Amino acid sequence: MKRSLFLIFLFISLPLFSQNFRLNIGGTQSLFSNINNRKVSFYGINAGYSYYFYKKFGLYLGFSHYFPTVYYGKVKYWDQEYGTAPAYITGGANDFEAGLKLKIFDPKSKKMEINTTLSGSLFTHKGKYDKEPFLRHYEGGTFLPDIANMVKSLYVGVEAIFKAGNIPLFISGGYNFVPGQKTPFDDWR
């Protein structure tokens, strides 16, 4: 029951709006095809704020907080050479977005509205792993401390707002383009 309620909250959230602004709060999921050499999904909560200068064009600010997840990834070490070792990594993430929003479908009936978003995004992921087994196995090797990935990207998304009775519901999806990054998510501190 809890899982189905979470899935409903994840995909459909409630917007609050007035004439010139809109606040959307709901669940979020991000899937990465390669973070520390593994596919990883993050689940969390999202808040997005839009302020419209004109009836169809405005500014957008968004923040997502992803709860910690555990995945089997790769960690770096060095001794005589650089290498990687597999490890269970635990960590959460945050994502900040700022950009522009445009209404592309807004009928007078107000039963449905479709918007598009173009924004810059800064995704930060911090992870931890247990270094003790690696220090014994790779004698003399030095392991980097905690993992910190930072990804700058361009976000393009579409959202739909529709009314079920008098309650407005919101669903959105998008894609992040990561320009110029040769090795995916390879910023370690």
Side-chain angles (χ1 to χ4, degrees):
M1 180 66 176
K2 288 180 184 179
R3 185 175 178 93
S4 34
L5 287 175
F6 176 73
L7 289 174
I8 290 169
F9 184 69
L10 176 67
F11 292 111
I12 299 175
S13 59
L14 296 174
L16 304 170
F17 61 93
S18 77
Q19 190 173 2
N20 286 342
F21 78 92
R22 176 169 287 125
L23 176 65
N24 299 319
I25 299 173
T28 186
Q29 175 191 13
S30 286
L31 172 65
F32 291 89
S33 60
N34 188 349
I35 185 167
N36 301 326
N37 292 327
R38 293 294 185 263
K39 287 185 178 182
V40 182
S41 286
F42 290 99
Y43 299 92
I45 55 174
N46 172 276
Y49 175 78
S50 304
Y51 182 82
Y52 291 95
F53 293 113
Y54 304 104
K55 292 184 178 183
K56 293 189 177 258
F57 179 76
L59 293 177
Y60 171 76
L61 295 173
F63 174 75
S64 298
H65 174 72
Y66 298 99
F67 304 121
T69 188
V70 177
Y71 61 95
Y72 191 65
K74 298 270 184 177
V75 295
K76 287 186 177 180
Y77 72 94
W78 66 89
D79 46 15
Q80 268 55 5
E81 301 179 2
Y82 289 102
T84 60
Y88 284 101
I89 301 168
T90 303
N94 291 313
D95 186 29
F96 300 94
E97 296 175 353
L100 303 172
K101 185 171 274 193
L102 177 68
K103 290 183 185 181
I104 55 177
F105 180 71
D106 187 13
K108 292 184 180 184
S109 68
K110 299 294 182 190
K111 290 287 184 188
M112 184 172 190
E113 177 182 313
I114 299 176
N115 302 316
T116 185
T117 304
L118 177 65
S119 65
S121 175
L122 178 62
F123 178 87
T124 57
H125 162 63
K126 293 188 178 184
K128 295 184 182 291
Y129 65 99
D130 184 12
K131 294 169 213 50
E132 190 62 36
F134 298 108
L135 295 175
R136 286 191 303 248
H137 187 269
Y138 299 94
E139 292 177 5
T142 304
F143 280 80
L144 292 172
D146 299 330
I147 298 164
N149 294 314
M150 186 179 302
V151 180
K152 297 174 187 169
S153 64
L154 179 66
Y155 172 78
V156 177
V158 176
E159 66 183 23
I161 299 169
F162 53 93
K163 285 191 176 179
N166 288 329
I167 299 174
L169 300 173
F170 170 89
I171 187 166
S172 70
Y175 186 80
N176 284 347
F177 298 96
V178 182
Q181 188 163 348
K182 296 174 185 167
T183 304
F185 309 103
D186 196 25
D187 178 15
W188 298 65
R189 292 182 194 153

